[in-house]
């Protein structure tokens, strides 16, 4: 272990890490710091792994590292149990897990860099077979596989070219071709000089060209400064909007705080807590006790041999056979009451399981909400300490999130491009190192060959000539730029003519573009119509499928020999309803006939009763009138007393 740590420390102190560790400081690193060191080594192999693990969840960090180690074909020691220990140790930053990984990575860094680079292009993306039924997806997948094979071929050719050296004859031919090109450039420069010297005031024109270049650079600087000021103004307006929205949300929250809503929330919380205390937690506690009792029983039993296991398996098979036989007997008895009770029991168990699952989901959601609220409070305090602004809420936060999503999409694309550039830069840097090493080997071979041929120092002299020619080419390039400035001033008229031609061509292309846009708009409308027609047809097909399924079920139920199943048929139900309605109609018709027959006598009897009632009322009135007339001024003796009626 000490040799392993020493090797790790020595390599981390070298380029490109330069950690300046010793054995004591490295061994005293915290788990988070050790994970960051491992992440830095992985980032050197694959630039996409450049992450600050303090800003990342531990599960995401472990998943990302395990994925890259799988690509790099790292095999942890041990079996499946050790694999779970390895994953857990990687999450918590355990030294017995991290040290072997670092030792393995630092031993073969260059090889792993190449493997990580190739994994970006050679790890095949598996497409489900049901998606490959689509022609477009199948064609795209085929092109993807062809491009992968082409990349393999090109990479092999590139490696072969890197390993193969260039001959001295080829280098000499290249040198002679460059010398010829150099002579042609010298002649061209001389001709341009002669042409410029014939122009009047060429020094003044060169001065004006320099001033024009300076003014253009100043114009670009001012445009950049104007853009920065616009961005500052935009950020200030956004900050003002955030403050206004925050004030509005605070007022709205204060207005919505009613006693009814608070009471309702408290009642829901009390119901949930009472369910957890009275039902869920006791069941979980009972299950844990049973599991503990079972585990204690297993631990207390002696170790079992292979013969004991076979005997237990045979007993289990016998018991399963007996259970199946009992189930078959129960199904043969076909007791309807027991069947209904079992159905109700099954429904009750399903509802109970759903209730427990929802309670667990609610508990997890509450815990997650509490953790998120704590995190939000911490972030809000950090934000206030950083720039003095409050956390966004409500509609303002939604708008901010929508803007952030669009910017995040752009950022991810740019970040991916940058990561690809970094990876390509690393590869090119490595290629440059290999080429430099190969160049040194070729130079050594060339010097040896020159000494053998008796022309020692030829390559050095050639390099000096090339260096001098390079300096001359730089001077010639400066002169060429000066001549280009002068020729640019002479070609202004030709530029105007070309510009007019460009404008006319652009106008023609613009008209063609407008026509194409109209055609595209029409095709899109047609596509929308076809899509709506497709959805309508699809809905009709689904309705017909439902009707067909109902008709099939009806036919099965009608032709079934089971009477209970046959009674469920719609035809039987409708036949029963029709018979009931026919019986009811027959009774109503008989009642109507009886009413019709007795209607005349009943009406006559009712008239006689009305006449009798009028006659009796008339007699009553006459009697009362006669009684009132005879009783006026009459003395009535009643109960030994005399009364006079006036």
């Amino acid at each position: 272990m000490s040799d392993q740590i020493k090797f790790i420390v020595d390599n981390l102190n070298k380029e490109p890490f330069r950690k300046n560790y010793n054995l004591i400081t490295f061994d005293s690193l915290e788990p988070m710091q050790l994970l960051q060191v491992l992440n830095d080594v992985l980032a050197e192999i694959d630039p996409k792994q450049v992450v600050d693990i303090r800003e990342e969840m531990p599960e995401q960090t472990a998943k990302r590292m395990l994925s890259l180690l799988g690509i790099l074909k790292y095999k942890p020691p041990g079996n499946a149990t050790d694999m779970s220990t390895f994953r857990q140790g990687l999450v918590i930053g355990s030294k017995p897990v991290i040290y072997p990984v670092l030792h393995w990575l630092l031993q073969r860094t260059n090889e792993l860099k190449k493997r990580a680079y190739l994994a970006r292009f050679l790890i095949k993306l598996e497409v489900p077979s049901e998606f490959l039924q689509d022609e477009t997806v199948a064609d795209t997948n085929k092109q993807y596989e062809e491009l992968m094979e082409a990349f393999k071929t090109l990479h092999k050719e590139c490696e072969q070219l890197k390993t193969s050296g260039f001959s001295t004859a080829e280098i000499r031919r290249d040198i002679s071709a460059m010398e010829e090109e150099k002579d042609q450039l010298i002649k061209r420069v001389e001709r341009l000089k002669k042409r410029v010297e014939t122009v009047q005031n060429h020094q003044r024109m060169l001065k004006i060209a320099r001033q024009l270049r300076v003014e253009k650079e100043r114009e670009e600087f001012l445009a950049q400064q104007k853009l920065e000021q616009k961005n500052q103004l935009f950020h200030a307006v956004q900050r003002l909007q955030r403050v206004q929205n925050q004030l509005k949300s605070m007022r709205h929250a204060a207005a919505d705080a009613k006693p009814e809503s608070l009471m309702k929330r408290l009642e829901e919380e009390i119901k949930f807590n009472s369910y957890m205390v009275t039902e869920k937690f006791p069941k979980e506690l009972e299950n844990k006790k049973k599991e503990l009792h079972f585990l204690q029983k297993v631990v207390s039993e002696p170790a079992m041999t292979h013969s004991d296991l076979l005997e237990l398996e045979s007993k289990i098979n016998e018991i399963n056979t007996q259970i199946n036989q009992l189930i078959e007997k129960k199904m043969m008895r076909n007791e309807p009451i027991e069947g209904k009770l079992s159905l109700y029991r099954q429904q009750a168990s399903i509802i109970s399981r759903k209730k427990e699952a929802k309670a667990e989901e609610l508990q997890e959601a509450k815990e997650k909400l509490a953790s998120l609220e704590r995190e939000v409070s911490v972030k809000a305090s950090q934000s206030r300490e950083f720039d003095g602004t409050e956390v966004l809420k409500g509609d303002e936060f939604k708008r901010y999130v929508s803007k952030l999503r669009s910017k995040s999409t752009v950022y991810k694309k740019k970040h991916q491009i940058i990561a690809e550039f970094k990876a390509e830069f690393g590869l090119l840097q490595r290629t440059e190192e290999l080429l430099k090493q190969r160049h040194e080997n070729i130079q050594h071979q060339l010097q040896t060959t020159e000494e053998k041929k008796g022309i020692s120092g030829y390559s050095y002299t050639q390099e000096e000539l090339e260096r001098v020619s390079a300096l001359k080419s730089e001077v010639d390039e400066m002169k060429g730029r000066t001549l280009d400035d002068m020729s640019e001033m002479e070609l202004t008229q030709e530029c105007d003519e070309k510009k007019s031609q460009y404008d006319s061509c652009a106008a023609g292309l613009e008209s063609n573009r407008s026509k194409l846009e109209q055609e595209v708009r029409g095709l899109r409308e047609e596509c929308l119509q076809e899509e709506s027609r497709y959805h309508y047809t699809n809905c009709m097909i689904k309705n017909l499928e439902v009707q067909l399924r109902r008709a099939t079920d009806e036919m099965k139920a009608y032709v079934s020999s089971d009477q209970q199943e046959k009674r469920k048929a719609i035809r039987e139900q409708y036949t029963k309803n029709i018979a009931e309605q026919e019986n009811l109609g027959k009774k109503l018709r008989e009642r109507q006939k009886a009413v019709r027959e007795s209607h005349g006598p009943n009406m006559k009897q009712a008239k006689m009763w009305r006449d009798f009632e009028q006659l009796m009322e008339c007699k009553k009135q006459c009697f009362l009138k006669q009684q009132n007339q005879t009783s006026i001024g009459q003395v009535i003796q009643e109960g030994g007393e005399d009364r006079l009626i006036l």
Side-chain angles (χ1 to χ4, degrees):
M1 179 63 74
S2 59
D3 296 336
Q4 189 181 59
I5 297 175
K6 185 177 180 181
F7 175 78
I8 294 171
V9 171
D10 292 340
N11 282 274
L12 289 176
N13 291 334
K14 296 178 183 178
E15 292 290 342
F17 304 106
R18 300 178 66 182
K19 295 292 185 180
N20 294 326
Y21 288 144
N22 54 36
L23 295 176
I24 298 173
T25 57
F26 181 74
D27 191 59
S28 61
L29 289 177
E30 296 293 331
M32 186 66 69
Q33 296 174 343
L34 194 60
L35 279 174
Q36 186 63 51
V37 172
L38 177 59
N39 191 79
D40 293 340
V41 176
L42 293 175
E44 178 62 24
I45 295 171
D46 186 3
K48 291 183 179 180
Q49 306 296 322
V50 179
V51 176
D52 189 355
I53 61 173
R54 293 174 297 180
E55 300 176 357
E56 191 177 29
M57 297 297 292
E59 293 80 5
Q60 296 178 355
T61 303
K63 184 178 180 182
R64 177 172 54 80
M65 289 183 177
L66 286 171
S67 176
L68 182 58
L69 290 174
I71 292 173
L72 299 178
K73 298 182 180 179
Y74 174 74
K75 295 181 180 179
N79 51 18
T81 306
D82 295 332
M83 282 295 296
S84 62
T85 307
F86 174 77
R87 293 190 185 93
Q88 186 178 3
L90 191 62
V91 172
I92 63 176
S94 176
K95 293 180 181 179
V97 174
I98 303 296
Y99 285 172
V101 178
L102 285 173
H103 185 264
W104 186 79
L105 292 173
L106 294 172
Q107 275 183 333
R108 45 182 67 83
T109 305
N110 295 328
E111 178 186 350
L112 296 177
K113 280 183 180 180
K114 183 177 179 181
R115 186 175 296 171
Y117 171 74
L118 293 177
R120 293 170 51 200
F121 306 102
L122 296 182
I123 293 179
K124 188 175 180 181
L125 181 64
E126 297 296 335
V127 182
S129 58
E130 55 268 19
F131 293 137
L132 291 175
Q133 302 298 325
D134 190 357
E135 294 182 357
T136 306
V137 177
D139 294 339
T140 306
N141 187 57
K142 185 177 180 182
Q143 293 177 4
Y144 169 68
E145 292 176 352
E146 291 176 354
L147 290 173
M148 187 179 291
E149 294 297 329
F151 175 79
K152 291 180 181 178
T153 305
L154 292 174
H155 181 71
K156 290 179 181 178
E157 293 178 357
C158 180
E159 292 296 326
Q160 291 176 359
L161 290 174
K162 288 178 181 179
T163 54
S164 63
F166 295 98
S167 62
T168 309
E170 292 179 355
I171 296 173
R172 289 177 179 175
R173 283 197 298 270
D174 293 338
I175 292 172
S176 61
M178 292 172 66
E179 288 178 350
E180 292 178 359
E181 187 176 357
K182 176 185 173 183
D183 295 336
Q184 292 177 1
L185 290 173
I186 292 172
K187 292 178 182 178
R188 184 179 178 183
V189 169
E190 293 296 333
R191 288 198 300 269
L192 290 174
K193 281 183 179 179
K194 291 179 181 179
R195 289 178 59 186
V196 171
E197 289 175 355
T198 57
V199 179
Q200 296 180 356
N201 299 326
H202 63 279
Q203 295 293 336
R204 182 171 173 272
M205 295 174 71
L206 289 174
K207 184 178 179 181
I208 292 171
R210 294 192 191 95
Q211 292 177 356
L212 178 62
R213 185 183 297 108
V214 172
E215 292 297 329
K216 285 184 177 179
E217 292 176 355
R218 187 169 178 270
E219 182 182 3
E220 292 177 356
F221 174 75
L222 292 175
Q224 183 68 25
Q225 191 175 4
K226 181 180 178 182
L227 182 62
E228 292 177 356
Q229 291 178 356
K230 284 184 177 179
N231 292 331
Q232 292 177 0
L233 178 62
F234 176 73
H235 291 310
V237 171
Q238 281 188 337
R239 185 174 296 176
L240 177 62
Q241 291 178 355
R242 284 199 299 270
V243 174
Q244 291 176 352
N245 292 329
Q246 186 178 359
L247 179 61
K248 184 178 179 181
S249 62
M250 291 176 68
R251 289 176 178 174
H252 183 69
D256 290 341
K258 296 181 179 179
E260 292 82 2
S261 61
L262 294 175
M263 288 294 296
K264 186 177 181 180
R265 194 180 305 124
L266 288 173
E267 288 176 357
E268 292 177 354
E269 190 171 355
I270 289 170
K271 289 180 181 179
F272 173 74
N273 291 331
S274 62
Y275 167 74
M276 296 293 288
V277 172
T278 57
E279 296 184 17
K280 189 172 185 301
F281 287 159
K283 288 182 181 179
E284 291 182 354
L285 182 61
E286 188 66 25
N287 293 330
K288 294 295 183 183
K289 287 181 179 179
K290 290 180 180 179
E291 187 177 356
L292 179 61
H293 178 69
F294 177 73
L295 292 175
Q296 289 177 351
K297 185 177 179 182
V298 171
V299 171
S300 62
E301 290 181 355
M304 300 180 69
T305 60
H306 184 68
S307 60
D308 296 334
L309 292 174
L310 292 176
E311 185 178 355
L312 284 175
E313 287 181 357
S314 62
K315 289 182 179 179
I316 290 170
N317 293 328
E318 291 177 359
I319 293 171
N320 289 329
T321 305
Q322 294 176 4
I323 291 171
N324 292 328
Q325 291 175 358
L326 292 173
I327 291 172
E328 291 176 357
K329 289 179 180 179
K330 185 178 179 181
M331 292 176 66
M332 290 175 66
R333 286 200 301 268
N334 196 11
E335 297 179 358
I337 298 175
E338 186 67 24
K340 291 181 180 179
L341 291 176
S342 64
L343 179 62
Y344 292 149
R345 291 194 194 98
Q346 185 178 5
Q347 291 178 354
S349 64
I350 291 171
I351 292 171
S352 177
R353 286 196 296 271
K354 287 184 178 180
K355 189 176 180 181
E356 292 177 357
K358 293 299 180 183
E360 290 178 357
E361 291 179 2
L362 181 59
Q363 186 69 19
E364 291 177 358
K366 284 189 175 182
E367 293 175 357
K368 188 175 181 181
L369 179 61
S371 64
L372 290 175
E373 286 178 352
R374 289 194 298 270
E375 187 176 355
V376 166
S377 62
V378 173
K379 296 294 183 183
S381 62
Q382 291 178 357
S383 176
R384 285 195 297 272
E385 292 175 359
F386 181 71
D387 57 355
T389 58
E390 295 293 334
V391 181
L392 303 179
K393 295 181 179 179
D395 297 334
E396 183 183 0
F397 180 73
K398 292 179 180 179
R399 290 194 295 270
Y400 176 73
V401 168
S402 62
K403 291 181 182 179
L404 187 62
R405 284 176 180 170
S406 60
K407 291 182 179 180
S408 177
T409 304
V410 177
Y411 169 74
K412 288 179 180 178
K413 292 180 180 178
K414 301 296 183 184
H415 186 70
Q416 184 178 3
I417 294 171
I418 292 172
E420 292 176 356
F421 285 160
K422 287 182 178 179
E424 191 69 25
F425 173 74
L427 180 63
L428 293 174
Q429 191 174 11
R430 177 59 181 166
T431 305
E432 183 184 4
E433 293 176 358
L434 294 174
L435 292 175
K436 284 182 179 179
Q437 186 177 2
R438 189 175 300 158
H439 177 69
E440 292 177 357
N441 295 331
I442 292 172
Q443 286 293 111
H444 181 70
Q445 293 177 2
L446 184 60
Q447 290 177 2
T448 305
T449 306
E450 288 176 354
E451 289 176 358
K452 290 181 180 179
K453 300 295 184 179
I455 54 172
S456 179
Y458 175 77
S459 61
Y460 176 75
T461 305
Q462 188 65 30
E463 288 178 357
E464 288 294 324
L465 289 174
E466 290 178 357
R467 187 176 63 81
V468 172
S469 64
L471 293 174
K472 188 176 183 305
S473 64
E474 291 179 359
V475 175
D476 295 341
E477 186 177 357
M478 293 175 62
K479 293 180 180 178
R481 283 200 297 268
T482 304
L483 295 174
D484 290 337
D485 293 336
M486 296 179 65
S487 62
E488 182 180 359
M489 298 179 65
E490 293 177 0
L491 296 176
T492 305
Q493 183 177 1
E494 185 178 357
C495 178
D496 294 335
E497 293 177 357
K498 298 294 184 182
K499 186 176 181 182
S500 62
Q501 294 177 4
Y502 167 76
D503 293 336
S504 61
C505 182
L509 292 174
E510 184 68 23
S511 62
N512 292 332
R513 186 179 66 83
S514 62
K515 291 179 182 178
L516 291 173
E517 286 180 353
Q518 292 178 358
E519 292 179 1
V520 169
R521 196 177 300 111
L523 291 173
R524 284 180 178 174
E525 292 177 356
E526 185 178 355
C527 181
L528 291 174
Q529 293 177 1
E530 294 295 332
E531 187 176 357
S532 63
R533 190 180 303 167
Y534 163 74
H535 289 304
Y536 174 74
T537 306
N538 194 14
C539 292
M540 293 297 294
I541 289 171
K542 288 182 179 179
N543 291 331
L544 292 174
E545 287 177 353
V546 171
Q547 294 177 4
L548 180 61
R549 186 166 59 253
R550 290 177 62 186
T552 305
D553 295 339
E554 175 67 17
M555 183 61 69
K556 288 181 180 178
Y558 181 70
V559 300
S560 177
S561 59
D562 189 1
Q563 294 298 325
Q564 291 183 355
E565 189 71 23
K566 198 168 185 178
R567 290 193 193 99
K568 295 179 182 179
I570 299 175
R571 181 171 179 176
E572 292 294 331
Q573 294 176 4
Y574 280 142
T575 304
K576 184 179 178 182
N577 292 334
I578 290 170
E580 291 176 355
Q581 294 298 323
E582 286 179 353
N583 294 329
L584 181 61
K586 186 177 179 181
K587 292 179 181 180
L588 291 174
R589 284 194 296 272
E590 292 176 355
R591 186 177 177 185
Q592 183 183 11
K593 184 179 179 182
V595 170
R596 189 181 292 119
E597 291 176 353
S598 61
H599 180 263
N602 289 337
M603 291 297 293
K604 188 182 292 184
Q605 189 176 2
K607 186 175 183 302
M608 292 172 66
W609 276 108
R610 285 195 297 271
D611 294 341
F612 177 73
E613 184 180 4
Q614 291 177 0
L615 180 61
M616 295 302 294
E617 183 68 27
C618 182
K619 286 184 178 183
K620 178 183 176 183
Q621 295 294 332
C622 293
F623 175 76
L624 292 174
K625 185 176 180 181
Q626 184 180 2
Q627 188 177 8
N628 291 331
Q629 288 177 358
T630 56
S631 62
I632 296 173
Q634 185 179 1
V635 177
I636 301 174
Q637 292 181 356
E638 184 178 357
E641 295 180 355
D642 295 336
R643 288 188 299 167
L644 177 63
I645 298 174
L646 299 176

